Amino acid sequence: MADRLRTFLGELKRRKVYHVGLAYVAVAAGVLGVCDAGIPDALWARLQVPVGILLLVGFPIALVLAWAYEVRPEESAGTESAIDPVSQEDPTHLPLDRIAVLPFASIHPDREHDYFADGITEELISAISRVRGLDVIARTSVMKYRDSDARIGEIARDLNVGVVLEGSVRKAGDQLRVTVQLINAESEGHLWAEDYDREFREIFAVQRDIASHVADALRLRLLEKDAENIGYVATDDLAAYDLYLLGRHHLGLRTDAGTRKAISSFERSIELDSAFAPGHAGLADAHILAALGYMSKPPKDVLQRVQQSAKEALRLNESLPEAHTSLGYSALLAWDAGAALSEFQRAVELNPSHAQAHQWMAHALIVLNRPLEAAESSARALELDPLSAILTLEAGWGYYYAWEIEKALPFADRALAMDPNLPVAHYNRAEYLFLLERPEEAFKAADRALKLLPSMPYGRAFLAGAHARHGQEETAQAMLSQLEAEDSTDNPIRAFIAFVQEALGMKDEALASIRIAVDRREPFGSYISLAWLPFHSLRGDPEFQSIVEEIDRIVGR
């Protein structure tokens, strides 16, 4: 009852009923004053009662009309693209073509059910991203405000958005209750609000309805094909969908345990419904994290699993941006940077607000040796996910590839200010500090990274190389032996082993390892020919130069 009352009062405010009521009272008082002063007393004595009755009858009629026609002072004739007269170009106002879907509150006493609310938040972000002309802030940034007591205006300024969607969700058995409200961030006035009391099986219809109302409230165009995709019923098996949301929750943790749980959840999801395209796309994403080192022992044939899962998702639904993004990254890891770029471009075409597609497109452009375009793509990703520590870190990579290390270091510092426990930021910071000849600070950063994510082979290889270059050959040799013991066709890390061998002065062994990495098409082997990698002592070697030319040919640089 309290929720309904709050929603009703919010709707009264949104439709300007309060404003109309006050204006009516003011005008009525003015009319009575004029009549009292300008009409002869005898005549006014006869007219006073009927005029008063007329004004009283008109009051509820004015309120009803205000509700029905949503009288809004900010509307003007001929306006189609704005929700108030503030120009989108005006730097003093928040942009009305940018929206943040804040984490939905979970109305459930058990915090273990928070994953469901988080999942609904992510699904709404994906659905609203289909609205053309609207930038939708990515999950990573909005999740910073989970359980936050910050005001809407403060959040909007942090994210540079003019519109905010917030709400709550309660799932009890087969029943679902979703409360949602769309808010103008500057005025903090309601643009639209709704309560949904539905059966859980209607969740996709609820998501479609919310996205459509957002488009209507902002007077933006929802293309027919996008409306169809928003209304796409991914699965009739609600248990499969629930497992999918759980998998996405674990995937967002970016940890070894989280990656394992995500893979398990997605696998169970598609066991229940093999035609569930998002489940296959989620499994592809989880295997990508495993391939990137977020899992101590990746599954066998991990890249093949990524490709199989992504292709199956696209077979079931060609318009799924996440599947194109996953397939693109698998192509990038398989050294087909051109195909990867095409998939990322297709994902962005389907969902211009897909931050990860822009992020990974930058990776493909780096491999293709197009750093300026990569910088633009990274900047776009950061616009869509401004509080993402990893995107902040990657925004400095352009300086790293250009060998301007002093300019790259501040980005690592900013990323760690956002997330002090981001392992790759500590690794990057360590690398920058070593290159700037600040080894004491660098070793501290590397040790911190190793504690946070001991499974990442690149980080351990880099640290081993640093030990070798700073006179700690015994430590480096021990780390090299451990990496060599882990290397296999199922877990190919020969390119990283070459890092350490080169640092230890093992030139012939390093060249042999590089040759193996190229023949295997190891995921990170395509980066060997980029100038930023620490193979300085090999740069003038004819055999190394021949391998570099071969890599460039394969990748298509």
Side-chain angles (χ1 to χ4, degrees):
M1 187 64 185
D3 287 342
R4 290 186 180 277
L5 180 59
R6 279 195 297 271
T7 299
F8 175 69
L9 294 175
E11 192 69 0
L12 288 176
K13 183 179 179 182
R14 181 183 78 81
R15 294 173 184 251
K16 310 300 182 185
V17 175
Y18 296 140
H19 294 69
V20 172
L22 291 172
Y24 188 94
V25 170
V27 171
V31 169
L32 291 173
V34 169
C35 291
D36 186 43
I39 297 176
D41 292 343
L43 178 60
W44 178 235
R46 293 197 300 270
L47 294 177
Q48 191 170 9
V49 172
V51 169
I53 292 173
L54 183 62
L55 291 173
L56 286 173
V57 170
F59 183 70
I61 293 174
L63 297 184
V64 169
L65 289 173
W67 176 278
Y69 291 99
E70 300 189 40
V71 178
R72 301 180 194 176
E74 68 266 23
E75 289 186 355
S76 58
T79 300
E80 293 184 355
S81 60
I83 57 177
D84 67 32
V86 175
S87 168
Q88 300 283 357
E89 304 292 329
D90 190 339
T92 64
H93 291 275
L94 294 167
L96 298 169
D97 58 353
R98 286 171 60 84
I99 184 173
V101 181
L102 296 185
F104 271 44
S106 175
I107 311 301
H108 197 287
D110 189 348
R111 291 305 299 264
E112 289 185 3
H113 285 254
D114 285 354
Y115 79 89
F116 184 80
D118 292 348
I120 294 299
T121 304
E122 188 167 359
E123 291 291 282
L124 282 172
I125 290 171
S126 179
I128 295 171
S129 295
R130 299 280 189 171
V131 178
R132 300 287 157 161
L134 189 64
D135 280 356
V136 185
I137 302 301
R139 176 188 187 278
T140 311
S141 288
V142 297
M143 280 300 169
K144 305 284 186 183
Y145 298 99
R146 190 175 180 218
D147 301 324
S148 171
D149 57 0
R151 290 181 59 86
I152 292 295
E154 180 185 345
I155 295 171
R157 286 189 292 274
D158 287 347
L159 299 175
N160 191 32
V161 299
V163 189
V164 171
L165 185 78
E166 66 174 2
S168 63
V169 59
R170 179 186 180 94
K171 179 175 174 284
D174 293 334
Q175 296 302 306
L176 183 71
R177 187 163 204 269
V178 179
T179 298
V180 62
Q181 49 192 357
L182 188 67
I183 302 169
N184 182 310
E186 287 204 60
S187 67
E188 297 195 19
H190 287 70
L191 300 171
W192 167 73
E194 187 64 83
D195 286 345
Y196 297 89
D197 287 294
R198 305 285 180 85
E199 293 184 8
F200 184 31
R201 60 185 175 82
E202 297 179 85
I203 181 62
F204 299 111
V206 171
Q207 292 171 9
R208 177 179 65 245
D209 193 66
I210 291 173
S212 297
H213 273 95
V214 168
D216 289 343
L218 302 184
R219 281 182 264 156
L220 294 169
R221 186 182 179 195
L222 184 58
L223 300 179
E224 184 177 349
K225 63 178 182 179
D226 293 328
E228 290 175 358
N229 287 324
I230 291 173
Y232 165 65
V233 178
T235 180
D236 292 324
D237 193 317
L238 301 180
Y241 183 66
D242 194 62
L243 284 165
Y244 167 76
L245 296 181
L246 184 61
R248 283 292 178 191
H249 167 75
H250 289 307
L251 203 61
L253 300 177
R254 294 297 194 268
T255 62
D256 181 287
T259 304
R260 292 178 183 280
K261 290 178 180 178
I263 289 174
S264 174
S265 295
F266 291 133
E267 286 178 338
R268 288 159 57 204
S269 175
I270 58 180
E271 282 175 7
L272 293 175
D273 183 357
S274 60
F276 183 28
H280 290 281
L283 185 57
D285 287 346
H287 284 309
I288 285 174
L289 287 191
L292 292 177
Y294 288 93
M295 194 169 173
S296 56
K297 291 184 179 179
K300 293 182 179 180
D301 304 319
V302 64
L303 292 184
Q304 184 179 344
R305 294 187 182 207
V306 174
Q307 292 175 337
Q308 287 175 343
S309 296
K311 287 178 179 177
E312 180 62 13
L314 289 173
R315 185 188 69 79
L316 294 165
N317 181 3
E318 198 281 335
S319 297
L320 200 61
E322 294 80 5
H324 283 286
T325 304
S326 299
L327 188 60
Y329 207 84
S330 72
L332 182 61
L333 294 177
W335 294 38
D336 194 345
L341 185 60
S342 296
E343 292 294 337
F344 297 140
Q345 289 170 335
R346 176 60 175 152
V348 167
E349 178 186 340
L350 290 166
N351 180 359
S353 294
H354 195 347
Q356 190 169 73
H358 289 285
Q359 174 192 8
W360 286 354
M361 189 186 297
H363 294 197
L365 290 166
I366 286 170
V367 172
L368 290 169
N369 200 23
R370 294 158 60 178
L372 294 180
E373 293 173 72
E376 291 177 3
S377 194
S378 289
R380 175 61 176 150
L382 195 56
E383 279 182 8
L384 294 166
D385 204 352
L387 302 186
S388 166
I390 188 67
L391 290 181
T392 300
L393 177 69
E394 291 187 11
W397 284 2
Y399 296 111
Y400 181 30
Y401 296 123
W403 210 248
E404 296 184 43
I405 311 303
E406 297 88 348
K407 294 181 179 179
L409 180 60
F411 287 94
D413 291 336
R414 288 175 208 161
L416 288 170
M418 292 179 174
D419 184 358
N421 295 319
L422 185 64
V424 67
H426 285 286
Y427 275 126
N428 278 175
R429 185 171 184 273
E431 188 165 4
Y432 302 158
L433 290 168
F434 277 125
L435 293 171
L436 292 171
E437 298 184 355
R438 293 160 61 180
E440 186 174 340
E441 297 172 75
F443 275 117
K444 287 181 180 178
D447 287 340
R448 175 63 177 153
L450 196 62
K451 287 183 175 68
L452 289 168
L453 189 61
S455 63
M456 184 175 281
Y458 167 73
R460 288 183 290 141
F462 170 76
L463 182 56
H467 280 299
R469 289 187 172 88
H470 289 83
Q472 301 169 30
E473 289 86 356
E474 187 174 337
T475 300
Q477 189 63 60
M479 297 178 74
L480 173 61
S481 298
Q482 181 61 41
L483 289 166
E484 288 176 328
E486 295 174 14
D487 176 60
S488 69
T489 54
D490 295 324
N491 183 33
I493 54 173
R494 186 57 60 171
F496 300 137
I497 288 171
F499 289 0
V500 188
Q501 291 170 329
E502 187 263 348
L504 285 166
M506 303 165 62
K507 178 180 175 181
D508 291 340
E509 290 86 347
L511 287 169
S513 290
I514 291 171
R515 168 49 58 193
I516 292 171
V518 172
D519 290 343
R520 286 178 176 172
R521 300 290 192 273
E522 286 189 5
F524 290 94
S526 61
Y527 287 79
I528 288 172
S529 59
L530 296 175
W532 61 273
L533 284 176
F535 289 122
H536 307 302
S537 67
L538 302 179
R539 291 294 168 189
D541 186 276
E543 184 179 351
F544 181 78
Q545 189 56 42
S546 175
I547 293 174
V548 165
E549 291 172 1
E550 181 182 349
I551 294 172
D552 288 346
R553 229 175 12 254
I554 296 169
V555 171
R557 294 193 184 104

